[in-house]
Amino acid sequence: KQEVTQIPAALSVPEGENLVLNCSFTDSAIYNLQWFRQDPGKGLTSLLLIQSSQREQTSGRLNASLDKSSGRSTLYIAASQPGDSATYLCAVRDGGSQGNLIFGKGTKLSVKP
Amino acid sequence: GAVVSQHPSRVICKSGTSVKIECRSLDFQATTMFWYRQFPKQSLMLMATSNEGSKATYEQGVEKDKFLINHASLTLSTLTVTSAHPEDSSFYICSVSRGEYEQYFGPGTRLTVT
């Protein structure tokens, strides 16, 4: 059974710092991996999608990497800003393009001005 | 703009009543929609997969008679929580997927059962 773990559960950094969020999954047979952002009491916003054949994806100050064989992904946030404060969720898609998304519990990020 | 909408965003109901939550795909026709539930400080957990024109597929441990799903059109799925109880209080989120592309999520519905 696929399990997704995110470390740390919470992170507080001063504005301007670069930071890394970690995600690990137990079964490397994934179709893709997606990083989301969730603001308190809100739905999810997709940040980056990495297909299983890809190693990384970049969008602005965000860079996500994928090492499928070791079951790991990282989300790198450069020059963090208070507006980046949110919970970041990692999710893997199992079993083909219609497979379920399995979520981690998230990392709650707080960026202090 | 938003790809998925949900209504209502927040609902409070009394124990024993039923509540209907709507999910609309705004950007494309969705043959499949997903319903998730999120308890405080927990992961999103898939409850069921809603297929247009056929019965929904429920995950293990989710009661199909309690959580009624109707996917009557390619842009609308509804989740009805029947005879709601306080333990059903949660954040319900729907999602649509465009094949192997990204999965889009609605803004969620906060259900509180008193």
Short mmCIF file of all heavy atoms in Angstrom, two decimals, chain A residues 31-32 34 36 38 41-44 46-47 49 51 89 93 97-101 103-106, chain B residues 32 34 36 38 41-44 46 49 59 91 93 97 99-103 105-108 110:
data_model
loop_
_atom_site.label_atom_id
_atom_site.label_comp_id
_atom_site.label_asym_id
_atom_site.label_seq_id
_atom_site.Cartn_x
_atom_site.Cartn_y
_atom_site.Cartn_z
N TYR A 31 2.87 7.04 -11.28
CA TYR A 31 2.67 7.61 -12.62
C TYR A 31 3.17 9.05 -12.66
O TYR A 31 3.81 9.47 -13.62
CB TYR A 31 1.19 7.55 -12.97
CG TYR A 31 0.90 7.91 -14.40
CD1 TYR A 31 1.13 7.00 -15.43
CD2 TYR A 31 0.41 9.17 -14.73
CE1 TYR A 31 0.88 7.34 -16.74
CE2 TYR A 31 0.16 9.52 -16.04
CZ TYR A 31 0.39 8.59 -17.04
OH TYR A 31 0.15 8.93 -18.34
N ASN A 32 2.85 9.80 -11.62
CA ASN A 32 3.39 11.15 -11.51
C ASN A 32 3.31 11.61 -10.05
O ASN A 32 2.77 10.91 -9.19
CB ASN A 32 2.70 12.15 -12.45
CG ASN A 32 1.21 12.26 -12.21
OD1 ASN A 32 0.74 12.19 -11.09
ND2 ASN A 32 0.45 12.48 -13.29
N GLN A 34 2.69 15.27 -7.67
CA GLN A 34 2.21 16.65 -7.77
C GLN A 34 2.40 17.33 -6.42
O GLN A 34 2.13 16.74 -5.37
CB GLN A 34 0.72 16.63 -8.16
CG GLN A 34 0.21 17.88 -8.82
CD GLN A 34 -1.13 17.66 -9.54
OE1 GLN A 34 -1.57 16.55 -9.77
NE2 GLN A 34 -1.79 18.76 -9.87
N PHE A 36 1.14 20.59 -4.14
CA PHE A 36 0.01 21.52 -4.01
C PHE A 36 0.29 22.49 -2.87
O PHE A 36 1.04 22.19 -1.94
CB PHE A 36 -1.29 20.78 -3.67
CG PHE A 36 -1.78 19.85 -4.74
CD1 PHE A 36 -1.37 18.52 -4.77
CD2 PHE A 36 -2.67 20.29 -5.71
CE1 PHE A 36 -1.84 17.65 -5.73
CE2 PHE A 36 -3.15 19.42 -6.67
CZ PHE A 36 -2.72 18.10 -6.69
N GLN A 38 -2.00 24.64 0.02
CA GLN A 38 -3.32 24.80 0.62
C GLN A 38 -3.27 25.91 1.66
O GLN A 38 -2.52 25.82 2.63
CB GLN A 38 -3.81 23.49 1.26
CG GLN A 38 -5.23 23.57 1.80
CD GLN A 38 -5.74 22.26 2.35
OE1 GLN A 38 -4.97 21.44 2.84
NE2 GLN A 38 -7.05 22.05 2.28
N GLY A 41 -8.34 26.66 5.46
CA GLY A 41 -9.76 26.61 5.13
C GLY A 41 -10.07 26.68 3.65
O GLY A 41 -11.22 26.92 3.26
N LYS A 42 -9.06 26.48 2.83
CA LYS A 42 -9.26 26.60 1.37
C LYS A 42 -8.95 25.28 0.67
O LYS A 42 -8.42 24.34 1.26
CB LYS A 42 -8.34 27.69 0.81
CG LYS A 42 -8.48 29.05 1.46
CD LYS A 42 -9.80 29.69 1.12
CE LYS A 42 -9.88 31.10 1.68
NZ LYS A 42 -11.20 31.73 1.40
N GLY A 43 -9.26 25.26 -0.62
CA GLY A 43 -8.93 24.10 -1.43
C GLY A 43 -7.46 24.08 -1.79
O GLY A 43 -6.65 24.80 -1.22
N LEU A 44 -7.12 23.24 -2.76
CA LEU A 44 -5.73 23.06 -3.16
C LEU A 44 -5.42 23.79 -4.46
O LEU A 44 -6.23 23.79 -5.39
CB LEU A 44 -5.44 21.57 -3.36
CG LEU A 44 -5.11 20.75 -2.13
CD1 LEU A 44 -6.28 20.68 -1.17
CD2 LEU A 44 -4.66 19.36 -2.52
N SER A 46 -2.62 23.68 -7.46
CA SER A 46 -1.52 22.89 -8.00
C SER A 46 -0.31 23.78 -8.26
O SER A 46 -0.44 24.85 -8.85
CB SER A 46 -1.95 22.21 -9.30
OG SER A 46 -0.89 21.49 -9.86
N LEU A 47 0.85 23.34 -7.81
CA LEU A 47 2.08 24.11 -8.00
C LEU A 47 2.93 23.52 -9.13
O LEU A 47 3.33 24.22 -10.05
CB LEU A 47 2.90 24.12 -6.70
CG LEU A 47 2.24 24.79 -5.50
CD1 LEU A 47 3.11 24.60 -4.26
CD2 LEU A 47 2.01 26.27 -5.76
N LEU A 49 3.77 19.64 -11.36
CA LEU A 49 3.49 18.24 -11.67
C LEU A 49 4.72 17.64 -12.32
O LEU A 49 5.25 18.22 -13.27
CB LEU A 49 2.29 18.14 -12.61
CG LEU A 49 2.01 16.77 -13.24
CD1 LEU A 49 1.50 15.81 -12.18
CD2 LEU A 49 1.00 16.89 -14.38
N GLN A 51 6.09 14.19 -14.11
CA GLN A 51 5.79 12.86 -14.61
C GLN A 51 6.89 11.90 -14.15
O GLN A 51 8.01 12.32 -13.84
CB GLN A 51 5.71 12.86 -16.14
CG GLN A 51 4.64 13.76 -16.71
CD GLN A 51 3.23 13.30 -16.39
OE1 GLN A 51 3.01 12.20 -15.88
NE2 GLN A 51 2.25 14.14 -16.70
N LEU A 89 1.40 20.33 0.18
CA LEU A 89 1.06 18.92 0.12
C LEU A 89 1.72 18.25 -1.08
O LEU A 89 1.75 18.81 -2.17
CB LEU A 89 -0.46 18.75 -0.01
CG LEU A 89 -1.29 19.24 1.17
CD1 LEU A 89 -2.76 19.33 0.79
CD2 LEU A 89 -1.13 18.33 2.35
N ARG A 93 0.51 9.78 -7.82
CA ARG A 93 -0.55 9.09 -8.54
C ARG A 93 -0.09 7.67 -8.83
O ARG A 93 0.95 7.44 -9.44
CB ARG A 93 -0.89 9.79 -9.84
CG ARG A 93 -2.10 9.16 -10.55
CD ARG A 93 -2.40 9.87 -11.86
NE ARG A 93 -2.72 11.27 -11.68
CZ ARG A 93 -3.90 11.72 -11.31
NH1 ARG A 93 -4.89 10.88 -11.06
NH2 ARG A 93 -4.11 13.02 -11.17
N SER A 97 -2.72 6.67 -15.41
CA SER A 97 -3.19 8.06 -15.39
C SER A 97 -4.50 8.23 -14.66
O SER A 97 -4.83 9.32 -14.23
CB SER A 97 -3.33 8.58 -16.81
OG SER A 97 -4.34 7.86 -17.50
N GLN A 98 -5.29 7.18 -14.49
CA GLN A 98 -6.55 7.31 -13.75
C GLN A 98 -6.42 6.80 -12.32
O GLN A 98 -7.40 6.67 -11.63
CB GLN A 98 -7.66 6.55 -14.47
CG GLN A 98 -7.98 7.10 -15.84
CD GLN A 98 -8.39 8.56 -15.79
OE1 GLN A 98 -9.15 8.98 -14.94
NE2 GLN A 98 -7.86 9.36 -16.70
N GLY A 99 -5.19 6.50 -11.89
CA GLY A 99 -4.99 6.03 -10.53
C GLY A 99 -5.27 7.10 -9.51
O GLY A 99 -5.32 8.28 -9.81
N ASN A 100 -5.41 6.67 -8.29
CA ASN A 100 -5.74 7.61 -7.22
C ASN A 100 -4.54 8.46 -6.85
O ASN A 100 -3.39 8.04 -6.96
CB ASN A 100 -6.20 6.85 -5.99
CG ASN A 100 -7.48 6.09 -6.23
OD1 ASN A 100 -8.27 6.46 -7.08
ND2 ASN A 100 -7.67 5.02 -5.49
N LEU A 101 -4.82 9.66 -6.37
CA LEU A 101 -3.80 10.50 -5.77
C LEU A 101 -3.70 10.14 -4.30
O LEU A 101 -4.71 10.14 -3.59
CB LEU A 101 -4.16 11.98 -5.90
CG LEU A 101 -3.71 12.73 -7.15
CD1 LEU A 101 -4.16 14.18 -7.07
CD2 LEU A 101 -2.21 12.66 -7.33
N PHE A 103 -2.04 11.32 -0.81
CA PHE A 103 -1.48 12.54 -0.25
C PHE A 103 -0.65 12.29 1.00
O PHE A 103 -0.94 11.37 1.79
CB PHE A 103 -2.60 13.50 0.15
CG PHE A 103 -3.23 14.22 -1.01
CD1 PHE A 103 -4.24 13.64 -1.75
CD2 PHE A 103 -2.79 15.49 -1.35
CE1 PHE A 103 -4.81 14.30 -2.82
CE2 PHE A 103 -3.36 16.17 -2.42
CZ PHE A 103 -4.36 15.57 -3.16
N GLY A 104 0.34 13.15 1.21
CA GLY A 104 1.01 13.25 2.49
C GLY A 104 0.21 14.17 3.39
O GLY A 104 -0.78 14.78 2.96
N LYS A 105 0.65 14.31 4.65
CA LYS A 105 -0.07 15.16 5.59
C LYS A 105 0.29 16.63 5.44
O LYS A 105 -0.35 17.48 6.03
CB LYS A 105 0.20 14.71 7.02
CG LYS A 105 -0.43 13.37 7.37
CD LYS A 105 -0.22 13.05 8.84
CE LYS A 105 -0.89 11.72 9.18
NZ LYS A 105 -0.72 11.37 10.62
N GLY A 106 1.33 16.88 4.69
CA GLY A 106 1.68 18.27 4.43
C GLY A 106 2.76 18.82 5.34
O GLY A 106 3.03 18.29 6.42
N THR B 32 -15.00 11.97 -15.01
CA THR B 32 -14.69 11.45 -13.68
C THR B 32 -14.40 12.60 -12.73
O THR B 32 -13.62 13.49 -13.05
CB THR B 32 -13.47 10.51 -13.71
OG1 THR B 32 -13.73 9.45 -14.63
CG2 THR B 32 -13.19 9.94 -12.34
N PHE B 34 -13.70 13.33 -8.38
CA PHE B 34 -13.29 12.66 -7.15
C PHE B 34 -13.78 13.45 -5.94
O PHE B 34 -13.78 14.68 -5.95
CB PHE B 34 -11.76 12.56 -7.09
CG PHE B 34 -11.13 11.89 -8.27
CD1 PHE B 34 -10.74 12.64 -9.38
CD2 PHE B 34 -10.94 10.53 -8.29
CE1 PHE B 34 -10.16 12.03 -10.48
CE2 PHE B 34 -10.36 9.90 -9.39
CZ PHE B 34 -9.96 10.65 -10.49
N TYR B 36 -12.99 13.98 -1.87
CA TYR B 36 -12.03 13.76 -0.79
C TYR B 36 -12.60 14.34 0.50
O TYR B 36 -13.45 15.23 0.49
CB TYR B 36 -10.70 14.47 -1.09
CG TYR B 36 -9.90 13.90 -2.22
CD1 TYR B 36 -10.19 14.22 -3.55
CD2 TYR B 36 -8.82 13.05 -1.97
CE1 TYR B 36 -9.44 13.69 -4.59
CE2 TYR B 36 -8.06 12.53 -3.02
CZ TYR B 36 -8.39 12.86 -4.32
OH TYR B 36 -7.65 12.35 -5.35
N GLN B 38 -11.07 15.74 4.39
CA GLN B 38 -9.87 16.11 5.13
C GLN B 38 -10.25 16.49 6.55
O GLN B 38 -10.92 17.48 6.78
CB GLN B 38 -9.15 17.28 4.44
CG GLN B 38 -7.82 17.65 5.07
CD GLN B 38 -7.15 18.83 4.38
OE1 GLN B 38 -7.81 19.72 3.87
NE2 GLN B 38 -5.82 18.83 4.35
N LYS B 41 -5.53 18.53 10.42
CA LYS B 41 -4.15 18.08 10.49
C LYS B 41 -3.94 16.70 9.89
O LYS B 41 -2.97 16.01 10.25
CB LYS B 41 -3.64 18.13 11.94
CG LYS B 41 -3.66 19.54 12.53
CD LYS B 41 -3.03 19.59 13.89
CE LYS B 41 -3.07 21.04 14.40
NZ LYS B 41 -2.47 21.21 15.70
N GLN B 42 -4.82 16.30 9.01
CA GLN B 42 -4.69 15.00 8.35
C GLN B 42 -4.58 15.19 6.84
O GLN B 42 -4.85 16.27 6.31
CB GLN B 42 -5.90 14.11 8.66
CG GLN B 42 -6.06 13.77 10.13
CD GLN B 42 -4.90 12.97 10.67
OE1 GLN B 42 -4.45 12.01 10.04
NE2 GLN B 42 -4.40 13.37 11.82
N SER B 43 -4.19 14.10 6.18
CA SER B 43 -4.12 14.11 4.72
C SER B 43 -5.51 14.17 4.12
O SER B 43 -6.49 13.83 4.78
CB SER B 43 -3.47 12.84 4.20
OG SER B 43 -2.27 12.55 4.82
N LEU B 44 -5.56 14.56 2.88
CA LEU B 44 -6.80 14.36 2.12
C LEU B 44 -6.96 12.86 1.87
O LEU B 44 -6.02 12.19 1.45
CB LEU B 44 -6.74 15.06 0.76
CG LEU B 44 -7.17 16.50 0.71
CD1 LEU B 44 -6.09 17.39 1.29
CD2 LEU B 44 -7.47 16.91 -0.72
N LEU B 46 -9.22 10.01 -0.18
CA LEU B 46 -10.20 9.79 -1.23
C LEU B 46 -11.39 9.02 -0.67
O LEU B 46 -11.21 7.98 -0.04
CB LEU B 46 -9.57 9.03 -2.39
CG LEU B 46 -10.48 8.73 -3.57
CD1 LEU B 46 -10.87 10.02 -4.29
CD2 LEU B 46 -9.80 7.77 -4.54
N THR B 49 -14.92 7.83 -6.21
CA THR B 49 -14.72 8.30 -7.58
C THR B 49 -16.08 8.33 -8.25
O THR B 49 -16.79 7.32 -8.28
CB THR B 49 -13.77 7.38 -8.34
OG1 THR B 49 -12.52 7.32 -7.62
CG2 THR B 49 -13.52 7.90 -9.74
N GLU B 59 -14.26 4.07 -1.77
CA GLU B 59 -13.07 3.52 -1.14
C GLU B 59 -13.48 2.68 0.07
O GLU B 59 -14.58 2.83 0.63
CB GLU B 59 -12.13 4.64 -0.70
CG GLU B 59 -11.57 5.43 -1.86
CD GLU B 59 -10.77 4.57 -2.82
OE1 GLU B 59 -9.78 3.95 -2.37
OE2 GLU B 59 -11.13 4.53 -4.02
N PHE B 91 -13.86 18.67 6.18
CA PHE B 91 -13.68 19.52 5.00
C PHE B 91 -13.78 18.60 3.79
O PHE B 91 -12.99 17.67 3.65
CB PHE B 91 -12.31 20.20 5.08
CG PHE B 91 -12.10 21.33 4.13
CD1 PHE B 91 -12.99 22.40 4.10
CD2 PHE B 91 -11.01 21.36 3.28
CE1 PHE B 91 -12.79 23.47 3.23
CE2 PHE B 91 -10.80 22.43 2.42
CZ PHE B 91 -11.68 23.48 2.39
N ILE B 93 -13.71 18.06 -0.25
CA ILE B 93 -13.14 18.69 -1.44
C ILE B 93 -13.38 17.79 -2.65
O ILE B 93 -13.14 16.59 -2.60
CB ILE B 93 -11.63 18.92 -1.30
CG1 ILE B 93 -11.30 19.67 -0.02
CG2 ILE B 93 -11.07 19.66 -2.50
CD1 ILE B 93 -9.80 19.89 0.19
N SER B 97 -10.01 15.52 -13.00
CA SER B 97 -8.73 15.19 -13.60
C SER B 97 -8.86 15.17 -15.11
O SER B 97 -9.82 14.62 -15.64
CB SER B 97 -8.25 13.82 -13.11
OG SER B 97 -7.03 13.46 -13.70
N GLY B 99 -7.27 13.51 -17.69
CA GLY B 99 -6.41 12.44 -18.15
C GLY B 99 -5.14 12.38 -17.33
O GLY B 99 -5.18 12.43 -16.10
N GLU B 100 -3.99 12.33 -18.00
CA GLU B 100 -2.73 12.22 -17.26
C GLU B 100 -2.20 13.58 -16.83
O GLU B 100 -1.12 13.68 -16.26
CB GLU B 100 -1.68 11.52 -18.13
CG GLU B 100 -1.18 12.33 -19.32
CD GLU B 100 -1.96 12.08 -20.60
OE1 GLU B 100 -3.14 11.74 -20.50
OE2 GLU B 100 -1.36 12.23 -21.67
N TYR B 101 -2.98 14.61 -17.10
CA TYR B 101 -2.56 15.94 -16.72
C TYR B 101 -2.93 16.21 -15.28
O TYR B 101 -3.35 15.36 -14.54
CB TYR B 101 -3.15 16.97 -17.68
CG TYR B 101 -2.72 16.76 -19.10
CD1 TYR B 101 -3.62 16.42 -20.10
CD2 TYR B 101 -1.37 16.86 -19.45
CE1 TYR B 101 -3.21 16.20 -21.40
CE2 TYR B 101 -0.96 16.64 -20.75
CZ TYR B 101 -1.88 16.31 -21.71
OH TYR B 101 -1.46 16.09 -22.99
N GLU B 102 -2.76 17.45 -14.90
CA GLU B 102 -2.93 17.80 -13.51
C GLU B 102 -4.35 17.55 -13.01
O GLU B 102 -5.30 17.53 -13.78
CB GLU B 102 -2.58 19.27 -13.30
CG GLU B 102 -1.14 19.58 -13.61
CD GLU B 102 -0.86 21.05 -13.55
OE1 GLU B 102 -1.23 21.68 -12.55
OE2 GLU B 102 -0.28 21.57 -14.52
N GLN B 103 -4.44 17.37 -11.72
CA GLN B 103 -5.72 17.23 -11.07
C GLN B 103 -6.06 18.57 -10.43
O GLN B 103 -5.23 19.17 -9.75
CB GLN B 103 -5.66 16.11 -10.02
CG GLN B 103 -7.00 15.66 -9.54
CD GLN B 103 -6.98 14.24 -9.00
OE1 GLN B 103 -6.25 13.38 -9.49
NE2 GLN B 103 -7.78 13.99 -7.98
N PHE B 105 -8.57 20.94 -8.01
CA PHE B 105 -9.39 20.80 -6.82
C PHE B 105 -10.31 21.99 -6.63
O PHE B 105 -9.96 23.12 -6.97
CB PHE B 105 -8.51 20.63 -5.58
CG PHE B 105 -7.86 19.28 -5.50
CD1 PHE B 105 -6.75 18.98 -6.27
CD2 PHE B 105 -8.38 18.30 -4.67
CE1 PHE B 105 -6.17 17.73 -6.22
CE2 PHE B 105 -7.80 17.05 -4.61
CZ PHE B 105 -6.69 16.75 -5.38
N GLY B 106 -11.47 21.71 -6.07
CA GLY B 106 -12.39 22.77 -5.72
C GLY B 106 -11.96 23.46 -4.44
O GLY B 106 -11.02 23.02 -3.77
N PRO B 107 -12.65 24.54 -4.08
CA PRO B 107 -12.27 25.30 -2.88
C PRO B 107 -12.68 24.63 -1.57
O PRO B 107 -12.29 25.10 -0.51
CB PRO B 107 -13.00 26.62 -3.08
CG PRO B 107 -14.18 26.26 -3.91
CD PRO B 107 -13.73 25.18 -4.83
N GLY B 108 -13.45 23.55 -1.66
CA GLY B 108 -13.81 22.83 -0.45
C GLY B 108 -15.10 23.31 0.20
O GLY B 108 -15.54 24.44 -0.01
N ARG B 110 -16.80 23.26 4.09
CA ARG B 110 -16.63 22.96 5.51
C ARG B 110 -17.98 22.57 6.07
O ARG B 110 -18.89 23.37 6.10
CB ARG B 110 -16.09 24.19 6.24
CG ARG B 110 -16.06 24.06 7.77
CD ARG B 110 -14.97 23.15 8.23
NE ARG B 110 -13.65 23.62 7.84
CZ ARG B 110 -12.56 22.88 7.93
NH1 ARG B 110 -12.62 21.65 8.39
NH2 ARG B 110 -11.41 23.38 7.55
#
